Amino acid sequence: MHHFHNIISSFLPLSPPPKDFIVHSLTLHYTTLQPPMAPKKVLLICGDFVEDSEAMVPFQALQAFGVTVDAVCPGKKSGDACRTAVHMLAPGGQTYTETRGHNFTLNATFDEVDAAIYDGLWLPGGRAPEYLAHIPSVVELVAKFVSSGKQIASICHGQLILAAAGVVEGRKATAFPGVKPVLLAAGAHWVEPETSATTVVHDNLITASTYDGHPEVIQNFVKALGGKISGSNKMILFICGDYMEDYEVMVPFQSLQALGCHVDAVCPTKKAGDTCPTAVHDFEGDQTYSEKPGHNFTLTATFDEVNVSGYDALVIPGGRSPEYLALNESVIAMVKHFMESNKPVASICHGQQILAAAGVLKVNSMAEQLGGTCPSGFHFFISAFGNI
């Protein structure tokens, strides 16, 4: 299991961090910003072939923001895994494509769930909701959350479960367009998605059309749980490349957007609007990780036009891209700028190959300098840029 919530949570001092914490040769000094919100607990209902990012992004982001998240699946127990699906709209195609994603590890047992101990419910999409909506125990559980007035977030096809539970009647909701007939039949007031990021809030229900809506949904969800996001008007730069690891770019990218940061992703020789294919890396019983195709990640800025002095921090995802990015002189110059300017740098997994090529790994322990390895040791990185 990837631990990106530790990268993100370092922006959020929910408990007092050490007075000085070393991140890539940078000493960060902290002051108390505001009291953290009371501990909250959220249930995330998964199933086989849940959409890959729609499970992992909220799972990691909410933990980073101080929320306990239990991921469960009917018929499975803590420690079991759900196979996930990577869904993308194909250019010129009439609907989305699907490939196998990561194996998502559950951390709680469905049969032991007590709805009373949770403050909110999150329903990811993908193909899983098609069968979860026909499982009585799932439908009853969802209805119980809604009737008790607890906060609900549902993405893409997750709304199929809401419709089956009979909880959308009279409520405004959006979803992936193909779900429209089901929501209308269930009595919902359909909101046509203007973009793939369209998000709708109606009372305690937050719905979005696709995973592109994650940042807005997460932000609204955290606020509904009593969190207050502030102090996050920072500029963050991601150095990307073809076949960077899918989770290692998508989770921190969308989580930082949810925090309110302006996040730019660039790649050498590419411009804003271009895409980088990503790779799904997983340990599946072999002697090293397997690789499958991931999502196409859309860049938000043009590499050759970036003024690095305008950014407050740098993130370097891992995967296979660092192998060739480490040979790019412009990339190395960018990394050196952030290091020499004493700006925070977070590097994940194979991203450290770029740091090594830039000659900036100069402490006794790489784990000490990086705040952890692949990718679980960035506990205080994000706390420099926001608070909830």
Side-chain angles (χ1 to χ4, degrees):
M1 178 68 72
H2 298 257
H3 298 287
F4 300 98
H5 63 275
N6 292 312
I7 300 174
I8 302 153
S9 62
S10 58
F11 277 83
L12 307 167
L14 298 176
S15 59
K19 181 175 177 58
D20 298 320
F21 181 72
I22 305 298
V23 182
H24 295 350
S25 302
L26 167 64
T27 302
L28 302 178
H29 300 276
Y30 296 90
T31 58
T32 301
L33 298 179
Q34 61 187 38
M37 66 180 181
K40 301 292 181 179
K41 193 168 188 175
V42 169
L43 185 69
L44 186 142
I45 299 180
C46 302
D48 282 337
F49 300 104
V50 61
E51 212 289 326
D52 196 22
S53 66
E54 291 175 21
M56 183 58 88
V57 170
F59 183 78
Q60 294 277 6
L62 291 173
Q63 289 182 81
F65 295 167
V67 178
T68 298
V69 184
D70 284 346
V72 298
C73 174
K76 299 191 181 189
K77 61 184 184 299
S78 179
D80 290 346
C82 285
R83 299 175 179 88
T84 72
V86 172
H87 285 170
M88 289 189 297
L89 290 173
Q94 294 184 339
T95 189
Y96 54 87
T97 62
E98 176 177 303
T99 56
R100 272 277 279 116
H102 296 85
N103 296 311
F104 181 84
T105 303
L106 305 168
N107 64 346
T109 300
F110 183 86
D111 291 341
E112 298 174 358
V113 166
D114 177 7
I117 69 171
Y118 294 95
D119 302 286
L121 174 68
W122 194 289
L123 300 174
R127 283 197 294 110
E130 296 175 3
Y131 78 87
L132 293 176
H134 295 277
I135 299 177
S137 57
V138 171
V139 173
E140 292 167 7
L141 182 61
V142 171
K144 188 177 296 185
F145 270 90
V146 175
S147 64
S148 63
K150 295 182 178 181
Q151 191 60 44
I152 313 293
S154 185
I155 309 291
C156 202
H157 288 74
Q159 287 81 305
L160 291 171
I161 303 174
L162 296 177
V167 298
V168 293
E169 185 172 2
R171 292 171 178 259
K172 294 179 181 179
T174 192
F176 186 76
V179 181
K180 176 180 178 179
V182 177
L183 286 177
L184 288 175
H189 295 305
W190 172 256
V191 177
E192 193 69 29
E194 296 181 1
T195 71
S196 59
T198 294
T199 300
V200 174
V201 180
H202 188 131
D203 297 331
N204 64 326
L205 177 63
I206 307 171
T207 55
S209 54
T210 76
Y211 48 70
D212 288 338
H214 275 152
E216 186 174 353
V217 176
I218 293 168
Q219 189 172 90
N220 280 301
F221 193 77
V222 169
K223 288 179 179 178
L225 292 177
K228 182 178 180 182
I229 298 174
S230 64
S232 53
N233 57 336
K234 300 295 182 179
M235 299 279 290
I236 314 296
L237 184 65
F238 276 59
I239 298 180
C240 303
D242 288 348
Y243 302 104
M244 58 188 164
E245 214 286 329
D246 193 311
Y247 278 168
E248 293 175 19
V249 62
M250 184 65 79
V251 174
F253 187 87
Q254 291 194 318
S255 299
L256 288 167
Q257 286 182 317
L259 186 61
C261 296
H262 178 92
V263 188
D264 278 336
V266 298
C267 174
T269 75
K270 297 192 181 188
K271 61 183 184 300
D274 290 347
T275 61
C276 287
T278 69
V280 170
H281 287 171
D282 227 342
F283 287 93
E284 301 181 289
D286 302 304
Q287 292 186 338
T288 189
Y289 52 84
S290 62
E291 178 172 306
K292 297 180 283 287
H295 299 86
N296 290 329
F297 182 84
T298 302
L299 303 169
T300 60
T302 300
F303 186 88
D304 291 339
E305 298 175 359
V306 164
N307 178 7
V308 292
S309 64
Y311 291 90
D312 300 291
L314 175 68
V315 178
I316 306 173
R320 284 198 290 113
S321 59
E323 296 177 5
Y324 77 87
L325 292 176
L327 306 177
N328 186 297
E329 293 182 1
S330 296
V331 169
I332 298 305
M334 281 186 177
V335 172
K336 288 183 176 179
H337 164 81
F338 281 92
M339 297 297 298
E340 292 167 0
S341 301
N342 280 346
K343 296 178 180 180
V345 175
S347 182
I348 307 166
C349 204
H350 288 74
Q352 282 82 294
Q353 290 177 311
I354 299 176
L355 297 179
V360 298
L361 301 180
K362 297 178 180 178
V363 295
N364 292 332
S365 165
M366 181 178 292
E368 175 190 354
Q369 183 165 7
L370 299 177
T373 58
C374 193
S376 61
F378 305 92
H379 302 288
F380 305 107
F381 181 76
I382 297 179
S383 58
F385 300 107
N387 187 50
I388 88 170

